[in-house]
Amino acid sequence: MNTLLTATPGQTVGPFFGYALPFDRCDQLVPAGSPGAVQLSGLVLDGDGQPVPDALLEIWQANADGTIPTSTGSLHRDGWTFTGWGRAGTDAGGRYNFSTVIPGPCDPGAAPFFLITVFARGLLNRLFTRAYVPGGQLAGDPLLASLPPERRDTLIATREGAGLRFDIQLQDAPGKPETVFLRYAGYQR
């Protein structure tokens, strides 16, 4: 057969997350109340500014000292092994929450961040973004410096109480620009 077939788009990624993906304490990279524990939380919003009630987020991050965890078993939750990975679904109001630590910078001059992957209904592929920890080190970060100034704020978390808040806007909405999403070399859309 010499006929070249046209590629078809991927299947939508949701809303199927309630089956098999969640696991016990998946949103707790560290137990709440542990020394240095903070809450990273926020909303996932659609192009109308409405909450997305059935999205799934995964985070990867460095430890507080900037070390990237290398221990095996990212699902491992024993109360002291930090794997740097977690998963949380949004509730009916579009809110997600992780119990984790503030990551340290992985490289000199880079700002610390959480890498976030978003899965949601209507998306043909997952989305990648970053939630930067607010602070003075942001000015020297290479990725943030490569963005137009008006887009940078969509990647910077805000302080909320003793934790961090990072809302994810899936599309432009009145008064709210779309969160900057990233594309990585080798990842096919």
Side-chain angles (χ1 to χ4, degrees):
M1 177 182 231
N2 291 339
T3 305
L4 182 62
L5 300 176
T6 305
T8 59
Q11 296 289 327
T12 185
V13 297
F16 316 114
F17 310 127
Y19 175 75
L21 289 179
F23 63 94
D24 190 35
R25 297 178 289 150
C26 58
D27 57 348
Q28 295 179 24
L29 285 75
V30 298
S34 298
V38 297
Q39 300 301 304
L40 171 65
S41 61
L43 297 171
V44 178
L45 303 164
D46 67 16
D48 293 324
Q50 296 300 307
V52 177
D54 54 4
L56 182 78
L57 284 76
E58 292 180 348
I59 64 171
W60 292 269
Q61 69 171 93
N63 205 335
D65 64 4
T67 305
I68 296 173
T70 58
S71 62
T72 58
S74 58
L75 303 180
H76 192 75
R77 297 293 190 258
D78 60 13
W80 60 86
T81 303
F82 182 79
T83 64
W85 181 85
R87 180 182 284 154
T90 57
D91 64 15
R95 180 167 282 285
Y96 70 90
N97 188 65
F98 291 97
S99 177
T100 188
V101 297
I102 300 282
C106 297
D107 296 311
F113 63 88
F114 301 90
L115 175 64
I116 300 176
T117 303
V118 181
F119 301 88
R121 63 186 147 92
L123 296 178
L124 296 179
N125 292 296
R126 61 190 172 196
L127 300 174
F128 300 99
T129 191
R130 290 182 176 183
Y132 281 91
V133 176
Q137 73 286 8
L138 296 172
D141 185 81
L143 176 66
L144 286 175
S146 74
L147 297 172
E150 66 276 5
R151 301 289 288 141
R152 293 177 192 153
D153 285 345
T154 70
L155 293 182
I156 302 170
T158 56
R159 300 231 181 248
E160 185 174 83
L164 296 173
R165 180 180 177 133
F166 184 70
D167 291 342
I168 298 170
Q169 187 70 45
L170 296 177
Q171 296 174 306
D172 285 331
K176 292 189 172 190
E178 177 181 272
T179 299
V180 170
F181 295 106
L182 308 172
R183 187 170 183 186
Y184 291 97
Y187 176 71
Q188 299 296 321
R189 284 190 86 161

